[in-house]
Amino acid sequence: WFAPILILDSLASADTSASEFAKWWPQFQSAVAKRDAKAVAQSARFPLNWENGPVREIKTDAELVNRFDFYFTAEIRRMVASRKPERLPNGVYIITWKARGNEYSLYFRPGDSGGFLLDGLSEGPP
């Protein structure tokens, strides 16, 4: 009779995660829209995998802050503003789009102390 308790516990955890993400996401969107590089950097995990053209990694928060417009291109800012992230079974949220013959995905994972963190950008064949 333990199985139903585990299922309910799992569902409650998913609801909490979804609720936390629903609070966090508009703040992240706003920071990106305002080009508030420091706020975005505070919401990221470094080093940050960042596959976009020749770029493969953003090593530090200072690097992201200093080159924010280089990393967060108009296209990426538009995706953050217009897309609704999907929740994967592992609790990570993702935005995916296609451009220039590739598929791009932004990942957001639960943070260790609550909230969520930008966890990277991947680029690959669709």
Side-chain angles (χ1 to χ4, degrees):
W1 55 276
F2 290 106
I5 293 170
L6 293 174
I7 291 170
L8 290 175
D9 188 43
S10 175
L11 291 174
S13 177
D15 286 347
T16 301
S17 175
S19 171
E20 283 185 29
F21 190 82
K23 289 178 196 167
W24 178 84
W25 178 244
Q27 296 169 4
F28 182 80
Q29 281 181 303
S30 175
V32 171
K34 293 178 193 171
R35 295 183 172 153
D36 184 345
K38 288 182 181 178
V40 173
Q42 289 172 346
S43 293
R45 181 192 59 80
F46 294 95
L48 190 58
N49 291 327
W50 201 260
E51 300 175 1
N52 194 10
V55 176
R56 291 292 163 236
E57 183 179 69
I58 304 171
K59 291 179 178 45
T60 66
D61 56 345
E63 186 179 337
L64 175 61
V65 168
N66 291 335
R67 302 187 71 202
F68 183 80
D69 287 334
F70 176 75
Y71 295 119
F72 275 81
T73 63
E75 176 182 298
I76 292 170
R77 291 192 312 271
R78 195 169 49 253
M79 293 302 124
V80 169
S82 65
R83 299 285 171 118
K84 182 178 182 332
E86 296 177 46
R87 185 180 187 278
L88 301 176
N90 64 359
V92 169
Y93 284 79
I94 185 173
I95 295 174
T96 301
W97 71 96
K98 291 179 177 38
R100 295 168 301 287
N102 282 327
E103 183 172 275
Y104 296 86
S105 297
L106 276 172
Y107 297 89
F108 310 93
R109 71 169 176 87
D112 295 334
S113 56
F116 279 77
L117 296 171
L118 171 62
D119 196 35
L121 171 71
S122 68
E123 170 187 55

